[in-house]
Amino acid sequence: MTDNTSNKMWGGRFAAGPDAIMEAINASISFDKRMAAQDIAGSRAHAAMLAATGIIRDSDAEAIREGLLTILSEIEGGKFEYSAALEDIHMNVEARLKEVIGEPAGRLHTGRSRNDQVATDFKLWVRDQFDAFEGGLIALIHALLGQAEAGADWVMPGFTHLQTAQPVTWGHHMMAYVEMFGRDLSRVRDARARMNESPLGAAALAGTSFPIDRDMTAQALGFDRPAANSLDAVSDRDFALEFLSTASISAMHLSRFAEELVIWSSAQFRFVALSDRFSTGSSIMPQKKNPDAAELIRAKVGRIFGANTALMMVMKGLPLAYSKDMQEDKEQVFDAADNLMLALAAMEGMVRDMTAQRDNLAAAAGSGFSTATDLADWLVRVLGLPFRDAHHITGSLVGMAEKQGCDLPDLTLTQMQSVHGDITEDVFGVLGVENSVNSRMSYGGTAPAQVRAQIKRWKGILA
């Protein structure tokens, strides 16, 4: 059985409606109904412009405006009945508008096409997601700043290859993620500014012969300007790709942090305690407290990366201007946006709630010969040795301490002088982790004073 409703929407070109299989593959209403508010906003702006330019009567524009508001109310109230036979949100709204106001509804589509309509709707939706993305990043950065400020001078081990490297401060480690998410914030703002051009009025691909005012609709919808080329306007999905690529980089940052939280909250590390709000238990092992929120954030990266790759594959072979392939753009972006915002919110919650275990951090900071570099630097700075010689001497002292089952500060002066006779008692002043971190005063270093300076800088940026 076929339904000719959608055929009527297409016009007289087709004598019969699509069969069930064609209807199923062609329809997008199951997912693009998420753009209902954006679709109605675009139609209201378009109708107002049509009246202002004399293309339709003011009375028709007013009827359209009132009808669209009625439909928006129905959608927001969950009373709107969507039809797959009408394919998409645009035709569903237009068909309902005709039921509500009658003949004036047919004038709404003057001077536009579904091609520029869907591009406009999708841009408006993605722009809203960029704004939400920005808000989520700012909230997470504030949470990280709170942790950094509280522990600006708390010592902890810094790692390379997940092996103890040099002592750093908790605040310094938190500020590393502030920098990461700060770059994400910069990318979001940059992409959002670049995408803010209106496709509305590009029509199917060549513009329109009606005397439309594209500047008026662009301004009404909060765009900076109309898109300058009608072919590009309807075929462009760079804004969606930039959202996905920006989301992918940020999700990668979230995943790296999530991995550290999984490690840090383990019984082997005990660097942090995650709150019960973001942990779960085991059905069989009563002692377990699992960092499930962090693990799920780590996993969601795959969905976001996948969406980015999928849309790139959709777009890579398309000639200008519009092809139906582009209907496959939205589900990928919708899913990525949902999972990104969930991951950002979960990470912000974990960061705000987590408790750094200061004593455990400090104990770990002094293990693993973490001040070996400080010893080598002292040999260069005080004894004037070439760094490679100092590196060799320090390596020998590390080997000695390892055989003794102790750390570098536990060696006696006599033992140290057996490797190099000019070493003095002063060397012990650089071997403590507190001395180590306090000495790292180079710009961007781990010294508490530098950490606090960076916290102040970021508070100024976000103010």
Side-chain angles (χ1 to χ4, degrees):
M1 182 176 177
T2 61
D3 187 333
N4 286 330
T5 309
S6 57
N7 172 50
K8 291 176 184 177
M9 299 299 290
W10 293 338
R13 170 65 179 84
F14 294 85
D19 64 21
I21 294 175
M22 182 59 193
E23 181 178 290
I25 196 171
N26 196 48
S28 59
I29 188 60
S30 64
F31 53 86
D32 70 13
K33 62 186 178 183
R34 290 185 65 164
M35 302 190 302
Q38 289 79 14
D39 188 71
I40 289 172
S43 290
R44 288 180 62 191
H46 186 67
M49 180 275 295
L50 292 176
T53 53
I55 298 172
I56 66 173
R57 294 188 298 269
D58 288 344
S59 59
D60 288 340
E62 179 61 20
I64 290 169
R65 188 187 77 84
E66 292 297 327
L68 289 171
L69 289 175
T70 297
I71 294 168
L72 182 61
S73 178
E74 291 175 348
I75 291 171
E76 291 176 343
K79 299 177 181 178
F80 190 90
E81 294 185 10
Y82 296 99
S83 168
L86 293 171
E87 296 183 24
D88 56 30
I89 187 60
H90 326 298
M91 284 190 167
N92 269 263
V93 169
E94 189 173 335
R96 178 60 181 148
L97 186 64
K98 187 173 182 180
E99 292 175 354
V100 173
I101 69 171
E103 187 266 344
R107 304 187 188 282
L108 173 59
H109 211 52
T110 307
R112 75 173 182 184
S113 161
R114 272 199 296 175
N115 292 355
D116 63 334
Q117 189 178 0
V118 68
T120 302
D121 291 1
F122 197 24
K123 260 199 173 182
L124 290 171
W125 194 91
V126 171
R127 191 177 69 184
D128 289 343
Q129 298 311 299
F130 268 126
D131 292 342
F133 192 175
E134 178 181 20
L137 286 169
I138 290 172
L140 175 54
I141 290 171
H142 277 299
L144 287 163
L145 288 172
Q147 285 284 349
E149 196 162 29
D153 56 358
W154 299 355
V155 292
M156 67 175 290
F159 299 95
T160 61
H161 308 277
L162 203 55
Q163 305 295 312
T164 299
Q166 292 176 311
V168 296
T169 56
W170 172 258
H172 193 55
H173 204 116
M174 293 299 101
M175 290 305 294
Y177 283 105
V178 168
E179 293 295 328
M180 282 191 199
F181 294 117
R183 290 192 295 274
D184 294 334
L185 183 61
S186 176
R187 276 184 283 269
V188 165
R189 289 171 171 172
D190 182 54
R192 204 250 193 226
R194 184 166 35 256
M195 71 166 288
N196 207 32
E197 296 182 342
S198 173
L200 193 57
L205 74 161
T208 178
S209 59
F210 289 98
I212 62 172
D213 184 345
R214 293 191 64 207
D215 287 299
M216 179 180 174
T217 51
Q219 183 177 5
L221 293 170
F223 289 109
D224 295 329
R225 64 191 71 85
N229 184 284
S230 59
L231 277 169
D232 178 59
V234 298
S235 61
D236 167 43
R237 292 299 183 269
D238 286 3
F239 60 92
L241 288 166
E242 283 204 78
F243 176 80
L244 291 175
S245 61
T246 303
S248 294
I249 295 171
S250 189
M252 177 268 292
H253 291 155
L254 288 168
S255 183
R256 292 184 72 179
F257 197 10
E259 170 72 1
E260 294 210 306
L261 293 180
V262 170
I263 294 170
W264 289 353
S265 62
S266 68
Q268 289 70 32
F269 273 74
R270 297 188 185 276
F271 283 4
V272 300
L274 300 178
S275 76
D276 292 347
R277 294 175 61 221
F278 295 98
S279 306
T280 65
S282 166
S283 62
I284 191 172
M285 295 170 284
Q287 83 281 8
K288 294 289 294 297
K289 185 176 181 181
N290 300 323
D292 281 10
E295 291 171 353
L296 288 167
I297 288 171
R298 193 173 55 185
K300 285 184 179 298
V301 174
R303 297 174 70 144
I304 297 170
F305 284 8
N308 189 27
T309 301
L311 186 52
M312 292 284 280
M313 294 300 292
V314 167
M315 298 301 299
K316 71 174 182 62
L318 299 186
L320 298 181
Y322 180 83
S323 298
K324 194 68 170 182
D325 311 49
M326 291 164 69
Q327 184 169 289
E328 290 295 307
D329 57 1
K330 296 169 199 66
E331 284 182 286
Q332 313 293 341
V333 179
F334 292 164
D335 184 75
D338 289 346
N339 283 283
L340 174 69
M341 293 311 301
L342 185 58
L344 276 170
M347 183 59 81
E348 184 218 342
M350 280 193 294
V351 171
R352 286 193 184 279
D353 286 2
M354 73 182 180
T355 303
Q357 304 295 291
R358 184 177 182 179
D359 290 344
N360 295 342
L361 290 169
S367 66
F369 311 107
S370 64
T371 56
T373 305
D374 297 278
L375 173 55
D377 288 347
W378 183 89
L379 293 169
V380 171
R381 188 172 60 252
V382 177
L383 301 186
L385 299 178
F387 184 79
R388 285 303 168 199
D389 291 349
H391 188 283
H392 179 75
I393 292 167
T394 302
S396 298
L397 290 170
V398 167
M400 179 185 293
E402 203 164 33
K403 287 180 181 178
Q404 300 273 343
C406 65
D407 210 336
L408 284 172
D410 301 318
L411 292 174
T412 67
L413 179 60
T414 301
Q415 287 172 321
M416 288 190 180
Q417 288 176 338
S418 71
V419 176
H420 194 284
D422 292 338
I423 296 176
T424 69
E425 190 79 28
D426 291 344
V427 73
F428 292 99
V430 302
L431 293 181
V433 291
E434 299 284 351
N435 292 330
S436 175
V437 297
N438 284 324
S439 72
R440 307 292 175 180
M441 277 295 293
S442 58
Y443 180 80
T446 192
Q450 283 294 319
V451 172
R452 292 189 176 99
Q454 293 302 323
I455 293 170
K456 182 179 179 180
R457 180 177 72 88
W458 268 102
K459 284 184 175 181
I461 290 170
L462 297 178

